[in-house]
Amino acid sequence: MRKGLKGNRLSTETMLEYNGRIWFAEADSNGIYSYDLKSKRSTLECIIEEEPSNGKRLFRTMTICGDDLYVFPFSAENAYKINLHTKKVECIKIDTPPKNSYDHYSSQAKFLSSFRYGQKIFAVGVTYPAILEYDVETGIIQYYSEWLPEIRA
């Protein structure tokens, strides 16, 4: 949590609206919050215990499918599925690219955006060398890389 002009304030780089609430990942911690648009109140919904409590920019993208919120790592180690009703958190293990396999990979800037298409969620990398496809029904992850020929200037 960062200091604002009038005390503490929440800081985020990702948010989405669902059922009258704005859901977001706090930029300076492992907390997932919501903001009720009617009552104008923020609520700490859950803590991602597997990630550091003072982690910076852990999550940069999130998507909702059914009753679950999926957050994808920016600097976090893995992705997570959070049930919006029970707040139960499940880890979704993400493969780490082999060392020296991709010159531009940074563990501090993995995924930038995600979107849902049917029962699949796609996460698009910043430096992660593949597009991740997660099937919410089976839990199977597929990675798509080398799908576009190299572009040279």
Side-chain angles (χ1 to χ4, degrees), residues 2 26-29 52 54-59 74-76 108:
R2 298 178 185 190
E26 216 277 322
D28 292 329
S29 77
N54 62 348
K56 305 290 186 230
R57 304 178 80 190
L58 294 172
F59 305 103
F74 195 70
S75 68
Q108 299 302 301

Side-chain angles (χ1 to χ4, degrees), residues 56-121:
K56 305 290 186 230
R57 304 178 80 190
L58 294 172
F59 305 103
R60 186 79 189 268
T61 183
M62 57 178 57
T63 302
I64 290 178
C65 186
D67 291 334
D68 298 309
L69 173 70
Y70 295 85
V71 294
F72 292 90
F74 195 70
S75 68
E77 196 67 30
N78 289 295
Y80 296 89
K81 171 183 167 181
I82 303 158
N83 183 282
L84 295 172
H85 302 292
T86 66
K87 309 306 186 273
K88 179 183 175 194
V89 177
E90 293 179 37
C91 180
I92 300 169
K93 296 281 186 191
I94 303 292
D95 288 348
T96 300
K99 282 194 182 272
N100 303 319
S101 67
Y102 182 68
D103 293 342
H104 302 291
Y105 173 71
S106 167
S107 64
Q108 299 302 301
K110 294 178 188 84
F111 294 97
L112 181 63
S113 63
S114 61
F115 63 93
R116 176 184 161 208
Y117 183 73
Q119 291 303 111
K120 295 185 178 182
I121 298 175

Side-chain angles (χ1 to χ4, degrees), residues 1-2 9-12 24-33:
M1 189 158 310
R2 298 178 185 190
R9 69 175 173 87
L10 295 172
S11 174
T12 186
F24 58 98
E26 216 277 322
D28 292 329
S29 77
N30 57 354
I32 303 295
Y33 291 79

